[in-house]
Amino acid sequence: MPWRRRRNRVSALEGGREEEAPLEVAAVPSALLTSPQQTEAVAERILLRGIFEIGRDSCDVVLSERALRWRPIQPERPAGDSKYDLLCKEEFIELKDIFSVKLKRRCSVKQQRSGTLLGITLFICLKKEQNKLKNSTLDLINLSEDHCDVWFRQFKKILAGFPNRPKSLKILLNPQSHKKEATQVYYEKVEPLLKLAGIKTDVTIMEYEGHALSLLKECELQGFDGVVCVGGDGSASEVAHALLLRAQKNAGMETDRILTPVRAQLPLGLIPAGSTNVLAHSLHGVPHVITATLHIIMGHVQLVDVCTFSTAGKLLRFGFSAMFGFGGRTLALAEKYRWMSPNQRRDFAVVKALAKLKAEDCEISFLPFNSSDDVQERRAQGSPKSDCNDQWQMIQGQFLNVSIMAIPCLCSVAPRGLAPNTRLNNGSMALIIARNTSRPEFIKHLKRYASVKNQFNFPFVETYTVEEVKVHPRNNTGGYNPEEEEEETASENCFPWNVDGDLMEVASEVHIRLHPRLISLYGGSMEEMIPK
């Protein structure tokens, strides 16, 4: 019976054991499998060649070292027949886009463990629009057990040869993220794909703030190829901080004072399950769960710049971005209304912070970015950033908001990013300063983030590309009037900072220093991912 006409239940099997399809997957569109370069002769060693039914056609299928190619078998026709040439157009998929292979069998209700062999199913990662990835399938139909077994074993051998693809992952899941949806997101969307790819997982539920930090400080990670965080920005930042602290400890470094930190030993995967998902959005170009999962499965790893935040020479934390002033106050307000939904809490805090908008009296020192090759090479090798040849600059005055960002900080309210000119690993940070101005003008500036217009095209906004920043508040009241805003005061004489969506309260100067390519994250290339 032809496979396309069967009415029995069909499942993909490996080794005779039934495995239900975890997700609805579409057949591979032909348009995505062809390219103008496919007619070029490629000097690749042919591994296997055979006949399979693909779609409605019997095809001549060739497996080479880099690709699987097929062409419909057609009766001979006169040379130059354009219709014939079109029908016989070769199609292909690159082997690097295949992430799993299963034997395909037809199983009736009574057949629990095996059924009639139909062929082989390939599970493929395809690129879609807007930076998204999707999982799809390609069925190679052939009823011969011996023929399919040879091809199946060859595909398994090929998949085992991709060194960056993880085989075992430590999963940290925050069940409280964004309306408590993270658990559902993981078990309904992420775990089925990981199982399909044959990746072993060990799941730990994060029960309280700081749980990931204490867990990763002591737990055994030797058997894992990577760590995955399922949650929002706060959870992701905490896990990244914990991995980096662990790396310093393993290297025998004093974690209180770190000038040249060592790189984290395991890559980190980010599954967006929070309310804003700035980190995952900046990494993948889109806050899409399936895309993030497929990047992890395919082993797409890139190195990302990280900042250290310290005060009085003592390390406070690792992070990717920070806001002081309006951004810090807004988060401090939002944290006091955790009983609200995330969107309500955010909107309420923004409105209230705008209603009582105040400038901070600050002194800001910064080291401009030096892009010369010799300087960058020296710093990439771990040399201290500050030396006598570096020219620090200083500005002071009344500032409504100060942002320091090592990543673009893409999010739904800022689709181009809060720092659109920054990349994940260009060795610099964006310093964005909003000086004191009227409330209507500041609101115009904030609204520009959601549009295609330049949000920095205001006389009170200044931008710098830097390597280090020191923010020194010159008053000691935290910017608040206790008599008017007693309920809003975070801690006496402390200034609120928003670091990757986490509230950090500091009473004195904060020193932010960039460390290039300090952590590996599962994600795509930023040249491909960042919207133009």
Side-chain angles (χ1 to χ4, degrees):
M1 179 184 296
W3 71 275
R4 60 182 177 276
R5 296 179 184 174
R6 66 186 182 280
R7 295 184 180 179
N8 301 52
R9 180 166 55 91
V10 177
S11 61
L13 301 180
E14 180 178 357
R17 182 172 60 85
E18 180 177 336
E19 295 186 8
E20 295 292 346
L23 297 168
E24 293 185 4
V25 289
V28 179
S30 297
L32 295 176
L33 302 172
T34 60
S35 76
Q37 292 77 23
Q38 66 183 18
T39 57
E40 297 180 3
V42 181
E44 296 180 31
R45 185 167 62 93
I46 294 178
L47 303 177
L48 291 172
R49 186 166 190 168
I51 295 176
F52 289 91
E53 181 181 344
I54 300 178
R56 297 176 179 272
D57 300 313
S58 291
C59 297
D60 177 18
V61 183
V62 177
L63 176 63
S64 65
E65 294 176 312
R66 295 184 180 181
L68 179 74
R69 303 174 185 274
W70 65 94
R71 185 188 297 271
I73 300 173
Q74 299 287 347
E76 290 188 9
R77 297 193 182 185
D81 189 327
S82 59
K83 183 177 180 181
Y84 171 73
D85 292 339
L86 181 63
L87 289 172
C88 292
K89 189 175 184 181
E90 182 184 79
E91 299 179 89
F92 77 100
I93 55 174
E94 295 185 78
L95 299 185
K96 66 181 180 63
D97 294 330
I98 302 173
F99 67 88
S100 185
V101 57
K102 305 290 182 184
L103 290 174
K104 189 177 187 70
R105 297 183 184 273
R106 180 190 297 117
C107 296
S108 64
V109 175
K110 295 181 180 180
Q111 292 173 310
Q112 298 297 322
R113 291 188 172 273
S114 64
T116 304
L117 178 71
L118 296 175
I120 297 171
T121 298
L122 301 178
F123 295 87
I124 305 163
C125 173
L126 295 176
K127 292 182 180 180
K128 292 179 64 180
E129 70 285 351
Q130 298 178 340
N131 305 318
K132 290 183 180 179
L133 302 179
K134 64 175 290 187
N135 57 301
S136 191
T137 60
L138 178 69
D139 290 331
L140 307 178
I141 304 302
N142 189 304
L143 304 185
S144 169
E145 290 271 3
D146 292 339
H147 186 67
C148 288
D149 183 65
V150 171
W151 281 72
F152 175 77
R153 291 178 183 276
Q154 185 64 54
F155 278 121
K156 294 291 286 185
K157 181 180 179 181
I158 290 170
L159 292 180
F162 292 106
N164 289 335
R165 297 190 180 181
K167 297 177 177 60
S168 180
L169 294 170
K170 179 65 180 179
I171 311 293
L172 299 177
L173 192 158
N174 181 0
Q176 301 300 320
S177 290
H178 192 50
K179 303 178 183 177
K180 302 182 179 181
E181 295 176 352
T183 302
Q184 181 181 0
V185 165
Y186 175 74
Y187 286 107
E188 292 185 5
K189 295 183 178 182
V190 180
E191 187 185 57
L193 275 175
L194 297 179
K195 283 186 176 180
L196 183 61
I199 298 175
K200 298 178 182 179
T201 57
D202 180 72
V203 181
T204 296
I205 304 297
M206 290 190 279
E207 300 175 353
Y208 53 88
E209 185 177 352
H211 189 185
L213 188 61
S214 59
L215 176 72
L216 292 175
K217 185 177 180 180
E218 302 294 343
C219 78
E220 179 59 55
L221 295 177
Q222 187 173 356
F224 298 105
D225 300 311
V227 176
V228 175
C229 175
V230 185
D233 289 320
S235 303
S237 180
E238 180 183 333
V239 174
H241 173 62
L243 284 173
L244 286 164
L245 274 185
R246 181 185 177 113
Q248 313 317 306
K249 181 181 177 182
N250 291 345
M253 300 181 66
E254 184 181 353
T255 55
D256 282 346
R257 299 176 183 273
I258 301 175
L259 290 178
T260 55
V262 299
R263 185 175 296 168
Q265 296 162 324
L266 291 178
L268 171 62
L270 305 178
I271 302 296
S275 54
T276 54
N277 303 305
V278 168
L279 291 176
H281 198 156
S282 299
L283 178 63
H284 308 304
V286 61
H288 187 242
V289 172
I290 299 301
T291 296
T293 306
L294 287 173
H295 277 305
I296 295 170
I297 290 171
M298 304 303 289
H300 297 160
V301 177
Q302 60 177 321
L303 292 169
V304 177
D305 298 342
V306 180
C307 305
T308 50
F309 297 84
S310 58
T311 184
K314 182 177 181 180
L315 177 71
L316 297 172
R317 62 173 296 159
F318 291 94
F320 301 93
S321 65
M323 288 186 286
F324 174 77
F326 176 79
R329 288 187 188 182
T330 301
L331 180 61
L333 280 170
E335 288 297 305
K336 295 182 177 297
Y337 299 91
R338 300 291 297 183
W339 51 271
M340 292 184 179
S341 69
N343 290 337
Q344 287 179 329
R345 184 168 69 242
R346 180 192 64 200
D347 294 343
F348 175 79
V350 167
V351 171
K352 195 165 185 181
L354 284 172
K356 298 182 178 181
L357 187 64
K358 291 183 179 180
E360 297 285 3
D361 185 17
C362 291
E363 179 181 289
I364 302 175
S365 304
F366 61 90
L367 183 63
F369 175 60
N370 190 333
S371 59
S372 62
D373 293 339
D374 57 336
V375 173
Q376 290 309 306
E377 182 178 358
R378 170 173 57 84
R379 287 166 179 167
Q381 293 173 351
S383 299
K385 289 180 178 289
S386 303
D387 59 32
C388 59
N389 295 321
D390 293 325
Q391 301 297 317
W392 282 81
Q393 298 182 21
M394 192 262 289
I395 56 177
Q396 54 189 346
Q398 300 283 324
F399 304 107
L400 290 176
N401 191 70
V402 179
S403 298
I404 305 104
M405 298 177 174
I407 61 175
C409 292
L410 277 67
C411 59
S412 59
V413 297
R416 294 179 61 247
L418 299 176
N421 297 322
T422 303
R423 293 295 179 264
L424 294 179
N425 51 20
N426 61 353
S428 66
M429 301 180 291
L431 171 61
I432 304 166
I433 297 171
R435 290 184 179 269
N436 195 16
T437 188
S438 66
R439 183 181 293 107
E441 285 298 302
F442 186 67
I443 292 175
K444 287 181 183 179
H445 163 61
L446 296 180
K447 286 184 175 181
R448 283 277 183 92
Y449 282 97
S451 71
V452 296
K453 295 182 180 180
N454 185 357
Q455 63 262 42
F456 308 131
N457 190 23
F458 291 91
F460 57 88
V461 177
E462 302 171 16
T463 62
Y464 304 90
T465 303
V466 302
E467 297 175 6
E468 291 187 55
V469 180
K470 297 178 182 178
V471 180
H472 179 69
R474 296 194 293 188
N475 57 42
N476 59 0
T477 61
Y480 293 104
N481 184 332
E483 296 181 359
E484 295 180 0
E485 304 180 41
E486 181 179 355
E487 63 174 354
E488 300 171 9
T489 305
S491 296
E492 187 177 358
N493 296 333
C494 282
F495 294 87
W497 284 75
N498 180 340
V499 180
D500 298 333
D502 275 347
L503 182 62
M504 181 178 76
E505 297 171 351
V506 187
S508 58
E509 176 184 278
V510 174
H511 184 182
I512 304 98
R513 175 178 291 167
L514 185 83
H515 304 277
R517 301 172 178 247
L518 196 60
I519 191 170
S520 298
L521 299 183
Y522 287 111
S525 168
M526 289 309 296
E527 277 63 34
E528 299 176 4
M529 294 296 171
I530 291 294
K532 302 298 183 184

